[in-house]
Amino acid sequence: MRPFSITFSRQFSSSRTIRYDHILVSDPANGVKLVTLNRPNALNALFTPLVLELNDALKSADSDTSIGAIVLTGSVRAFAAGADIKEMKDKSFADVFTHDFIKNWSDATLIKKPIIAAVNGYALGGGCEMAMMADILYAGENAVFGQPEIKLGIIPGAGGTQRLARAIGKAKAMDIILTGKTFTAHEAYNWGLAAAVFPPTDLVAEAVKTAASIASYGPIAVHAAKEAINYGLQVGLDQGLTYERRLFHSLFATADQKEGMAAFAEKRAPEFKGE
């Protein structure tokens, strides 16, 4: 295994050039950052060096004012086939508990900008959990999801028991997690986990298209909408409705609200500036 490294190269602009070992980063459309998991010889199995690179790339995109949405994907064969067992197998309870092992695997949920997971192939264990951390999940027709940790003598540890149950209900989540069996892209769609299913060759392009559409809107409103939905899932309906209404009210203090409504009245395209 190569040692983990992120190389920073100084440029004349304020942007930074980064060389990653386990992910690829590109800008496939205006306002869109595409992050691709890239461990082809390990079916994109997740391990600490990859997660650290991923977290860095996501935080960088989140702070980049030219980016409005992020697409996270893997290869046609695998989004991420699971966590790298070689990294975990010799760890002790004291080790994982003391260092809160895999806590930072959930840092994607701290990103303010919308993340679309474009899932082809295997999304098992940690890969399934990472896909569920996204705000929108698009699946290729060949996608295979599952939480097979029970077969290893453990349970999901990066949100599998919590997010899957919230997404598809207790009964189906119990059935999947306690048996370790997999489920298909169309099952994920029918159960409400996936927002759409596409042919594998079209998947990333469709995700980028959606991300570009989101990026064309006012970023303050986009952030507020994401925040309102996520907050509402954690509280009761009355609290969620109050929080939504307050965010709605607050947007009337933005220039984007004035521009958006003026453009609608004047029958022209709005020019949002994030102000």
Side-chain angles (χ1 to χ4, degrees), residues 16 19 25-26 92 119 153 170 173 181 200 205 219 246 250 252 275:
R16 56 180 184 165
R19 186 188 72 241
V25 179
S26 61
S92 66
V119 179
K170 174 184 173 181
K181 63 186 179 183
R246 293 295 177 253
S250 70
F252 281 76
E275 301 174 351

Side-chain angles (χ1 to χ4, degrees), residues 25-44:
V25 179
S26 61
D27 302 279
N30 188 39
V32 178
K33 184 70 68 176
L34 174 63
V35 181
T36 304
L37 307 183
N38 187 42
R39 292 188 73 201
N41 295 331
L43 292 177
N44 292 332

Side-chain angles (χ1 to χ4, degrees), residues 32-35 58 68-74 79 113-119 130-131 133-139 195-196 198 203-215 226:
V32 178
K33 184 70 68 176
L34 174 63
V35 181
L58 293 178
I70 303 164
V71 174
L72 175 62
T73 193
F79 175 75
K113 294 175 181 176
I115 299 175
I116 302 173
V119 179
M130 183 162 289
M133 293 177 202
D135 302 298
I136 300 172
L137 197 165
Y138 282 174
F198 297 101
L203 176 66
V204 174
E206 291 293 339
V208 169
K209 186 187 302 182
T210 297
S213 176
I214 293 170
K226 172 175 172 172

Side-chain angles (χ1 to χ4, degrees), residues 1-7 18-25 34-57 72-75 78-80 84 87 130:
M1 183 179 71
R2 290 183 295 176
F4 169 63
S5 66
I6 301 179
T7 301
I18 309 172
R19 186 188 72 241
Y20 294 112
D21 291 327
H22 308 295
I23 64 173
L24 302 174
V25 179
L34 174 63
V35 181
T36 304
L37 307 183
N38 187 42
R39 292 188 73 201
N41 295 331
L43 292 177
N44 292 332
L46 304 176
F47 71 150
T48 298
L50 183 151
V51 171
L52 291 175
E53 291 187 355
L54 175 61
N55 289 344
D56 182 83
L72 175 62
T73 193
S75 67
F79 175 75
D84 195 327
E87 180 181 21
M130 183 162 289

